[in-house]
Amino acid sequence: MLAFAATDLSSPARPRPRSVTQPSRLPSGSALPPAAPDAQPTAVARTTIALEYASLRYPHHSPTGMYVTPSPESLFVWDVVFFVHQGYYSDSILKFRITFPPNYPERPPVVQFLTDVFHPLVSQQDGSFNLAPRFRPWRPKDHHVFDVLHWVKAAFKKHALDDVREGDCLNKEAFRLYHDTTSSFSALATQSSMLSQSASALFDKDHPSMAGKGAHSIQFRELKPEGLGALREMLGLRDWAEEKA
């Protein structure tokens, strides 16, 4: 049994951003280049990001199976854990990061997976995720970060995988296997899922997939049997054996 600390969306945190590290590039197919590294976050960007985080408490804004928290260092960096419940990647526990540009919402955020995952839209080199298939182009007045979250979730479902174009794929091998040898693709997706659940991926900050990506704000810890019992009692949950009886 594992547990992690999730942020209460009804009371969003608004830490003062210290610095914003911009990725060196956007995934291929993105409509806009990254902002200048020395660009200063605007007041509009800060306000917009804070309001969009607060809006995640509204129905349908935050996808089920996703938990989001801003980084303690910067409001412009959000850490997310995504529990996949169905499809090729069923039971995956995926950590990813959303980094906002200093002039958001004029430019789209960047999504980067910290957990290794074999997916056509995810780069195997740095975990970059391509938003372009859903946001072509990015429209500041119409698109929001909750749309980004919903697209990330949808991208792991069959209907989205069927529609992905090869030109948008950051992992060409995953695209080829999905269309030519689905059984091989399924096996590698399942392997990704199993590795994402491993103790090293969940608990070890020095796991290879995290190299150079910084610590994730949502940390997992393993619960001992006695700790699990106390937690179930606090939440008013009965033991599985009792429920079956």
Side-chain angles (χ1 to χ4, degrees):
M1 182 67 180
L2 55 86
F4 67 96
T7 300
D8 180 0
L9 294 180
S10 64
S11 181
R14 292 184 173 85
R16 181 178 178 83
R18 298 176 186 172
S19 62
V20 180
T21 302
Q22 296 300 318
S24 59
R25 62 178 177 83
L26 285 177
S28 60
S30 296
L32 295 170
D38 57 351
Q40 294 299 312
T42 67
V44 171
R46 290 192 186 95
T47 302
T48 301
I49 294 169
L51 290 174
E52 290 203 20
Y53 182 69
S55 77
L56 292 181
R57 70 180 185 272
Y58 297 135
H60 311 302
H61 275 215
S62 183
T64 56
M66 282 192 181
Y67 298 84
V68 186
T69 185
S71 163
E73 286 75 31
S74 175
L75 181 63
F76 284 70
V77 178
W78 292 7
D79 284 334
V80 187
V81 171
F82 174 26
F83 293 85
V84 184
H85 298 306
Q86 58 183 335
Y88 293 107
Y89 300 91
S90 181
D91 298 326
S92 294
I93 304 174
L94 305 175
K95 298 178 182 180
F96 67 91
R97 175 167 292 146
I98 299 175
T99 303
F100 296 88
N103 60 344
Y104 182 82
E106 293 305 314
R107 293 175 185 268
V110 172
V111 174
Q112 180 187 34
F113 276 84
L114 278 65
T115 305
D116 287 334
V117 57
F118 187 77
H119 189 286
L121 295 177
V122 179
S123 167
Q124 290 188 295
Q125 282 68 49
D126 61 6
S128 298
F129 175 84
N130 196 359
L131 296 175
R134 169 65 176 82
F135 304 100
R136 186 184 284 116
W138 173 267
R139 296 190 297 273
K141 294 182 179 179
D142 300 324
H143 295 145
H144 306 278
V145 70
F146 58 80
D147 296 313
V148 171
L149 293 173
H150 280 284
W151 166 235
V152 172
K153 181 176 182 176
F156 283 79
K157 297 181 179 179
K158 185 178 185 303
H159 69 84
L161 290 167
D162 288 343
D163 292 339
V164 169
R165 301 188 303 196
E166 184 174 8
D168 288 327
C169 293
L170 303 182
N171 185 334
K172 305 293 185 183
E173 181 186 5
F175 175 86
R176 179 181 59 81
L177 288 178
Y178 182 77
H179 289 279
D180 297 343
T181 316
T182 308
S183 59
S184 297
F185 174 87
S186 178
L188 288 170
T190 300
Q191 183 182 57
S192 288
S193 174
M194 294 176 64
L195 291 173
S196 75
Q197 301 171 52
S198 67
S200 60
L202 289 175
F203 308 129
D204 188 358
K205 295 180 182 179
D206 297 324
H207 190 265
S209 69
M210 299 287 285
K213 299 176 183 177
H216 197 271
S217 300
I218 301 177
Q219 297 293 323
F220 289 87
R221 60 183 177 86
E222 192 169 8
L223 283 177
K224 302 298 181 183
E226 57 273 16
L228 176 59
L231 181 61
R232 291 180 67 84
E233 183 177 354
M234 180 180 71
L235 297 175
L237 301 175
R238 294 183 298 173
D239 186 83
W240 290 112
E242 295 178 6
E243 292 182 1
K244 290 181 179 180

